[in-house]
Amino acid sequence: YGIQPIRKRPVGPTSIPIILSDSMLRQQWYQKMAVSIVTRLAANACLLILTLIFHHSNANNIVAAASTAEAPNRRFEYKYSFKGPHLSQADGNIPFWVHSGNAIPSADQVRITPSLRSQKGSVWTKTTVNFDNWEAEVTFRVSGRGRMGADGLAIWFTTAQGLDGPVYGAADNWNGIGIFFDSFDNDGKKNNPAVLVVGNNGKLVYDHPNDGTTQSLGTCLRDFRNKPYPVRAKITYYKRTLIVLINNGFTPDKDDYEFCTKVDNMVIPQEGYFGISAATGGLADDHDVLSFLTFRLSEPGQELPPPEAEMPKQDKDKYQEEFENFQQDLDKKKEDYQKEHPDIQGQPIEDMYESVNDREIRQVFEGQNRIHLEIKQLHHQLAVILDEQRRYVSVATDEISKRQGESGGQVGQAPSQEMGAVVATQQEVLRNLNELRNSFYESLKQIGASQHQGNAVGMGTYETVQHFNDIKEHLHVVKRNIEHLITRNGNPSEKQVMNCPDPPPMPSCLGTTHFLVFVVIQSVLFFSYIMYK
């Protein structure tokens, strides 16, 4: 625009000037710009491809290094752990742990704080951890009615037990490390719920207004409130590297962890206490811890010392002294017993006590004797029932013969048929009872044979068990036969034979004459009372 034509003298034999117009200049300028843009795009594309290739090779190197690196050895440490279903003892305490504040231990979990305002609670190990590398798996649940909760939960490894304080229910100015699950947004930056890793050397004061973001060594945004499944946190400290993995609680898979944060070159105290604390403020949540599992980590190939070797010398001396005192008391009681019973002095004391095999033999034969007595009682009752049924059959037979002798013809034909049915039923009952008696007799013989065999070859043999199974089958047969007898005894023909006569009609309790006399007397008494008043 406003550019004058330019005269250019070309190189050649001619010297004719070439005049370039404005449109030609603009066209050349656009072409140069297009060429420069295409060149830059091509350069950027090449640079992007090279970057992707480098990152891909670098990622492959990292994965290969991770696969070739051997995982550390893990050993479970029960003195620094707790879990259900028998988490607390009868006195309400947790073995090897101490709780304070509003913490409530139960059989399957520890409620650090209930969903009430301004509550604090914590649980801490009683003894210090004396190994360098460790891994803690914590399962917890944070639940509340509101959309927002407060204040949060903290997992500690410190040189002292922070039983009470302003930092999530634990003491401030701690010496160690804390992993905070902060559920309330104090700074208003909408970066909560969050997980923070904060270290302290005993001199720092926790920055509550900024949610500790100015002091955190690592952080990640994770929503851990009101999840369908418990949230799990895996905290690993190995070779001065702290790694925090989180299971968000969306699935029941216990190993579905996601990476949260990692802190390299982190130095923590060599000895310390594990602890969990929680606190509520103006808002309140239930902070429940279901399990806290601690594992000792060691390098591959390194053998860990046995647990007995790690016991403090003071505890060893204490337990050794208790054992020696107990052994002395036992020897003294043995001597006193031998003095009181001089007839068994030559017999070893161990032979006087019942062994496990002897106890099993005694229990088996006691059970056999009880079964034998029960079957004998049933046999006796069946014998009594048989006598009664025989008497009933004889009485029914006599009655039939009398009726046939007194009345002949069509009139007595129906009662005689009914009595014949009764007699047939009673005979069937007798036959069944005889079969029951025979089965009981066979059971008694089998029990006697099993007892004789047990006395001969000892207990616990296969034949004894087989005899018990046979006895059980016979008892089932007896039960079925008795039920069959009960159903057969409810025969409707007997009810038709033994019908009771109808009762006579009841006379009227009050006649007309008596009613009128009663009304007249009542009326006279009523008017007399009125006149008297």
Side-chain angles (χ1 to χ4, degrees):
Y1 306 100
I3 299 174
Q4 297 296 325
I6 301 174
R7 294 178 182 268
K8 287 189 178 181
R9 188 176 299 273
V11 177
T14 61
S15 60
I16 301 172
I18 299 174
I19 300 174
L20 299 177
S21 62
D22 294 340
S23 60
M24 295 175 66
L25 288 172
R26 283 197 296 269
Q27 187 176 2
Q28 289 180 1
W29 183 74
Y30 288 150
Q31 289 177 357
K32 291 180 180 179
M33 290 296 295
V35 171
S36 64
I37 291 172
V38 171
T39 306
R40 289 180 181 177
L41 289 176
N44 291 332
C46 293
L47 184 62
L48 180 61
I49 292 171
L50 291 174
T51 305
L52 290 176
I53 292 172
F54 174 76
H55 279 289
H56 181 69
S57 62
N58 192 14
N60 289 334
N61 292 333
I62 292 174
V63 171
S67 61
T68 54
E70 296 183 6
N73 297 325
R74 300 168 79 234
R75 189 177 77 180
F76 178 67
E77 299 290 338
Y78 69 94
K79 289 187 178 181
Y80 309 104
S81 307
F82 64 81
K83 65 176 181 177
H86 305 289
L87 192 147
S88 62
Q89 295 177 335
D91 55 356
N93 293 322
I94 307 172
F96 308 108
W97 291 71
V98 59
H99 64 278
S100 64
N102 302 112
I104 305 172
S106 61
D108 55 351
Q109 66 182 15
V110 181
R111 175 152 290 179
I112 308 297
T113 57
S115 56
L116 299 174
R117 294 182 178 180
S118 302
Q119 300 290 303
K120 297 178 182 179
S122 63
V123 291
W124 295 84
T125 57
K126 291 183 179 180
T127 58
T128 58
V129 177
N130 54 2
F131 38 87
D132 298 331
N133 303 314
W134 47 265
E135 183 177 87
E137 296 180 0
V138 185
T139 306
F140 62 92
R141 181 185 288 113
V142 180
S143 56
R145 294 185 177 181
R147 185 177 61 86
M148 298 175 59
D151 282 333
L153 182 139
I155 302 172
W156 302 92
F157 181 80
T158 58
T159 56
Q161 297 175 344
L163 299 178
D164 189 13
V167 184
Y168 302 99
D172 205 343
N173 301 107
W174 69 92
N175 185 7
I177 186 174
I179 296 90
F180 303 151
F181 294 83
D182 191 359
S183 55
F184 186 73
D185 192 6
N186 289 302
D187 54 4
K189 294 182 180 179
K190 301 184 183 300
N191 54 355
N192 293 86
V195 182
L196 298 90
V197 178
V198 180
N200 199 338
N201 57 359
K203 299 179 181 179
L204 295 178
V205 178
Y206 184 65
D207 187 8
H208 280 284
N210 295 319
D211 290 329
T213 55
T214 59
Q215 302 168 340
S216 65
L217 303 175
T219 181
C220 65
L221 298 179
R222 292 290 185 274
D223 187 8
F224 48 83
R225 296 183 67 251
N226 298 325
K227 297 303 175 185
Y229 298 97
V231 179
R232 300 174 185 274
K234 180 184 288 187
I235 304 162
T236 306
Y237 181 76
Y238 183 65
K239 293 183 178 180
R240 294 190 176 184
T241 301
L242 184 75
I243 300 175
V244 179
L245 305 177
I246 301 296
N247 185 336
N248 287 326
F250 287 109
T251 62
D253 187 6
K254 298 180 180 180
D255 298 327
D256 187 14
Y257 286 101
E258 297 178 357
F259 177 79
C260 176
T261 185
K262 178 180 179 181
V263 182
D264 294 322
N265 298 323
M266 186 170 188
V267 180
I268 63 175
Q270 293 182 354
E271 294 186 359
Y273 296 88
F274 281 117
I276 311 174
S277 66
T280 60
L283 301 176
D285 284 337
D286 286 325
H287 297 85
D288 301 325
V289 179
L290 282 69
S291 65
F292 191 105
L293 306 179
T294 304
F295 299 89
R296 170 185 284 195
L297 302 181
S298 61
E299 296 182 4
Q302 180 182 359
E303 294 183 0
L304 294 175
E308 295 81 7
E310 300 176 356
M311 186 180 297
K313 187 175 183 304
Q314 184 178 0
D315 294 342
K316 282 185 179 180
D317 297 339
K318 177 183 176 182
Y319 295 145
Q320 185 66 27
E321 184 179 359
E322 290 181 358
F323 175 75
E324 291 177 356
N325 294 333
F326 178 78
Q327 190 68 31
Q328 291 177 2
D329 294 338
L330 181 61
D331 295 338
K332 184 178 180 182
K333 289 180 180 179
K334 286 182 179 180
E335 293 176 358
D336 295 339
Y337 184 82
Q338 289 180 355
K339 290 179 181 179
E340 293 176 359
H341 302 81
D343 51 341
I344 57 174
Q345 288 185 0
Q347 184 179 1
I349 300 296
E350 289 75 10
D351 296 342
M352 300 171 56
Y353 295 97
E354 187 179 31
S355 63
V356 177
N357 294 331
D358 295 338
R359 187 182 301 112
E360 291 180 355
I361 292 173
R362 179 176 54 80
Q363 290 176 354
V364 168
F365 282 108
E366 286 179 355
Q368 287 183 346
N369 290 329
R370 285 195 295 269
I371 294 172
H372 190 263
L373 293 176
E374 292 291 336
I375 293 178
K376 276 188 174 180
Q377 292 179 0
L378 290 174
H379 188 268
H380 177 69
Q381 292 177 0
L382 281 175
V384 174
I385 293 173
L386 277 172
D387 294 338
E388 292 180 357
Q389 292 294 331
R390 286 168 182 165
R391 184 167 56 84
Y392 291 155
V393 169
S394 62
V395 171
T397 305
D398 295 340
E399 186 68 23
I400 289 172
S401 60
K402 287 181 181 179
R403 289 188 179 184
Q404 288 179 354
E406 291 177 357
S407 61
Q410 298 294 330
V411 180
Q413 187 174 0
S416 64
Q417 290 179 356
E418 294 177 356
M419 294 301 294
V422 171
V423 171
T425 303
Q426 294 295 330
Q427 289 177 354
E428 185 177 358
V429 169
L430 282 174
R431 186 170 60 255
N432 290 330
L433 289 175
N434 284 322
E435 292 177 357
L436 287 176
R437 188 173 182 181
N438 293 330
S439 65
F440 275 120
Y441 183 70
E442 291 178 0
S443 300
L444 287 173
K445 288 195 299 182
Q446 288 183 358
I447 291 176
S450 63
Q451 287 183 348
H452 178 72
Q453 185 178 3
N455 289 327
V457 299
M459 62 84 56
T461 59
Y462 173 78
E463 290 78 5
T464 305
V465 177
Q466 188 66 29
H467 282 300
F468 272 114
N469 294 331
D470 295 340
I471 292 169
K472 187 176 180 180
E473 292 178 0
H474 280 290
L475 290 177
H476 283 301
V477 171
V478 170
K479 183 179 179 181
R480 287 197 299 269
N481 291 333
I482 291 175
E483 291 176 354
H484 179 68
L485 287 176
I486 291 172
T487 56
R488 291 302 301 269
N489 285 334
N491 196 358
S493 62
E494 297 182 7
K495 295 181 181 179
Q496 294 176 0
V497 174
M498 303 299 294
N499 285 333
C500 297
D502 296 332
M506 296 296 293
S508 180
C509 297
L510 184 63
T512 306
T513 305
H514 295 87
F515 178 72
L516 293 176
V517 171
F518 177 75
V519 170
V520 170
I521 294 174
Q522 188 73 16
S523 301
V524 170
L525 292 175
F526 178 72
F527 285 113
S528 300
Y529 177 73
I530 295 298
M531 294 299 295
Y532 175 75
K533 294 295 288 184

